[in-house]
């Protein structure tokens, strides 16, 4: 079997999952000459549509069942990130000692150019797309993809199918994808931050962190790492991995390479380089200043010019559902941060806003400790509205921090309640700290519904 850039001719490739990444992996395997089997436990219309396309191209496709015997005999098994680690099909493969890889691992084997990989708990998508934007502003051909949600960028395997390789691949990596790497090795790796998440899928936070740490598993002495300064959790994650470390922080320190000095985003790569006043950065929040510093440092290490980095930062735009301003009316700013599906993201959003906040919290409970929000809520929120399946635990966790209202009904009722309480100068912030799956199919659907309701109301 040959799984390098010459192809997969003669190789049997099993792909589990018919979502976007599974489809992309199957298309790449087919294009490289593999004998491809694709299966999904779902039998819904989207799965059927994607499967029919792959079947027409020569893949064997099955819905509602997994042929574990075929998979066990395959040369490669590729698992989509949406497949939970305790899924019956993965347990069956584990019992037979069958290894599997993630979709970006397959893509990496066919990349023809240097790689930047971005991981972390929050800010991954913003940083990934911003790095690519900054590189393009400096004249590089940069291709972003990976775990980027909302249709903002393609799966990694789609990038591997391009006829003309880019100057840089920029790939967002989730913990689920990192769990399935073998050779995947970034030339530049970025860790945005680290905090507990996905405890509905992982047995422990240590297990989650262990998957994140796999970004360093294939490091060598030429590797370059862009890391937050003064983060013990990330220092533990990195351990003694080889390579050069570059630090970013909002405050200047002797060991930092990207920081804010006198209100200006500044880099220290080839001497001190003043890049852009903080006030000129068009994306909201202190955490986005950190994302901008990480992206700027990464792009500069990749060869972007200071002027190109400055132009890219100045022309950056808020991503959908990430502290995205919806509208401002009568001095009240409505902000869609539906992508904040964990406590750390909501805490960061609160701490990054300078105006009084009416905070909208709720959704499916992922098992995090909501009490971690108490300090930020006490400091920044003059009112909290909780809703959805996690409303009860949110209310008890935040009791006494700010006036709190529990809504048992729809998101429309939540928006109306927020409008009743909002006053000139306020920010109404949807930053749920929970996933959307109790009421919506995705955080994108939740954010779009919120924005539509706000516009209808105003």
């Amino acid at each position: 079997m040959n799984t390098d850039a010459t192809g997969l001719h003669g190789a049997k490739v099993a792909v589990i999952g018919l979502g976007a990444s599974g489809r992309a992996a199957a298309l790449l395997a087919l294009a490289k000459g593999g004998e491809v089997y694709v299966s999904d436990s779902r039998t819904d219309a989207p799965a059927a549509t994607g499967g029919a396309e792959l079947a027409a191209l020569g893949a064997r496709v099955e819905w509602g069942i997994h042929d574990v015997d075929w998979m066990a005999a395959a040369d490669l098994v590729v698992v989509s990130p949406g497949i939970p680690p305790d899924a019956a099909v993965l347990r069956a493969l584990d019992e037979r000692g069958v290894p599997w890889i993630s979709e970006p691992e397959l893509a990496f084997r066919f990349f023809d150019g240097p790689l930047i990989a971005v991981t972390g708990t929050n800010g991954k998508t913003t940083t990934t797309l911003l790095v690519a934007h900054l590189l393009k502003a400096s004249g590089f051909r940069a291709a972003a993809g990976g775990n980027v949600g909302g249709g903002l960028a393609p799966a990694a395997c789609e990038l591997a199918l391009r006829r003309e390789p880019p100057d840089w691949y920029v790939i967002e990596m989730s913990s689920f994808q990192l769990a399935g790497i073998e050779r995947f090795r970034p030339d530049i790796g970025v860790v945005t931050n680290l905090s507990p998440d996905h405890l509905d899928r992982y047995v422990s936070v240590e297990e989650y962190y262990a998957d994140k740490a796999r970004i360093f598993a294939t490091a060598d002495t030429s590797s370059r790492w862009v890391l937050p300064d003064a983060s013990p959790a990330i220092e533990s994650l990195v351990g003694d991995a080889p390579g050069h470390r570059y630090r970013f922080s909002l405050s200047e320190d002797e060991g930092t390479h990207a920081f804010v000095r006198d209100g200006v985003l500044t880099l220290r790569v080839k001497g001190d380089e003043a890049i852009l006043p903080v006030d000129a950065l068009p994306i909201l929040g202190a955490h986005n200043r950190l994302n901008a510093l990480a992206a700027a440092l990464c792009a500069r290490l990749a060869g972007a010019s200071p002027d190109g980095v400055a132009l890219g930062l100045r022309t950056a735009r808020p991503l959908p559902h990430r502290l995205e301003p919806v509208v401002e009316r009568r001095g009240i700013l409505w902000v869609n941060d539906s992508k904040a599906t964990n406590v750390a993201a909501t805490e960061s959003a609160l701490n990054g806003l300078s105006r009084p906040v009416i905070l909208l919290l709720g959704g499916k409970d992922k098992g995090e400790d909501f009490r971690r929000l108490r300090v930020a809520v006490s400091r920044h929120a003059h009112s909290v509205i909780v809703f959805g399946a996690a409303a009860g635990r949110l209310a008890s966790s935040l009791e006494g921090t700010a006036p709190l209202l529990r809504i048992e009904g729809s998101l429309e009722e939540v928006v109306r309640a927020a409008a009743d309480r909002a006053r000139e100068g306020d920010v109404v912030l949807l930053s749920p700290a929970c996933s959307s799956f109790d009421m919506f199919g995705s955080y994108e659907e939740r954010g779009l519904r919120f924005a539509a309701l706000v516009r209808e109301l105003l």
Side-chain angles (χ1 to χ4, degrees), residues 72-305:
D75 297 294
L76 279 177
V77 178
V78 184
V79 177
S80 300
I83 309 300
D86 61 349
V89 63
L90 296 188
R91 291 201 305 270
L93 292 175
D94 286 343
E95 288 170 2
R96 299 188 186 204
V98 178
W100 54 270
I101 64 172
S102 63
E103 177 261 335
E105 169 67 25
L106 177 65
F108 175 75
R109 300 180 185 191
F110 298 96
F111 281 173
D112 186 15
L115 169 65
I116 294 167
V118 181
T119 195
T121 300
N122 296 305
K124 297 186 297 296
T125 295
T126 296
T127 304
T128 299
L129 297 181
L130 194 49
V131 168
H133 179 65
L134 301 185
L135 288 171
K136 290 175 183 176
S138 284
F140 289 93
R141 289 176 295 113
N147 190 55
V148 179
L152 298 172
C157 282
E158 286 191 47
L159 301 183
L161 283 165
R162 293 188 177 184
R163 290 186 177 181
E164 185 177 0
D167 297 317
W168 282 96
Y169 295 93
V170 188
I171 302 297
E172 177 183 338
M173 293 291 287
S174 71
S175 58
F176 313 138
Q177 292 170 327
L178 286 168
I181 65 168
E182 292 178 352
R183 308 178 196 170
F184 185 93
R185 189 188 68 81
D187 296 273
I188 303 175
V190 184
V191 182
T192 57
N193 47 59
L194 194 65
S195 59
D197 196 12
H198 300 300
L199 297 182
D200 54 340
R201 179 156 169 169
Y202 285 98
V203 173
S204 66
V205 69
E206 289 77 19
E207 188 180 85
Y208 167 60
Y209 286 177
D211 277 354
K212 286 292 188 189
R214 288 189 55 75
I215 194 172
F216 303 102
T218 54
D220 63 23
T221 55
S222 68
S223 300
R224 289 174 287 176
W225 304 108
V226 175
L227 308 167
D229 192 34
S231 171
I234 289 177
E235 291 307 309
S236 176
L237 205 72
V238 180
D240 58 358
H244 305 278
R245 292 157 170 72
Y246 299 84
R247 314 284 181 178
F248 62 93
S249 174
L250 292 178
S251 57
E252 182 179 0
D253 199 348
E254 184 179 349
T256 50
H257 302 85
F259 48 86
V260 178
R261 176 194 287 165
D262 298 328
V264 177
L265 300 173
T266 304
L267 298 181
R268 184 181 289 144
V269 178
K270 297 180 178 179
D272 287 4
E273 301 165 344
I275 300 297
L276 188 74
V278 167
D279 291 345
L281 190 66
I283 48 180
L284 293 174
H287 65 292
N288 274 328
R289 295 173 198 165
L290 284 168
N291 293 336
L293 287 167
L297 179 55
C298 181
R300 190 77 178 92
L301 292 173
S305 66

Side-chain angles (χ1 to χ4, degrees), residues 360-373:
L360 314 184
L361 286 171
K364 181 184 176 184
D365 193 336
K366 299 200 297 184
E368 286 194 78
D369 184 0
F370 294 133
R371 292 173 298 177
R372 289 178 50 214
L373 287 171

Side-chain angles (χ1 to χ4, degrees), residues 305-342:
S305 66
D307 287 345
V309 171
L311 174 63
L313 290 176
R314 193 181 295 276
T315 56
R317 291 294 175 264
L319 297 182
H321 317 295
R322 297 160 177 85
L323 274 186
E324 178 190 17
V326 176
V327 67
E328 184 160 7
R329 291 287 188 275
R330 298 187 294 276
I332 301 166
L333 177 63
W334 296 74
V335 176
N336 169 19
D337 195 35
S338 183
K339 180 62 172 65
T341 58
N342 56 56

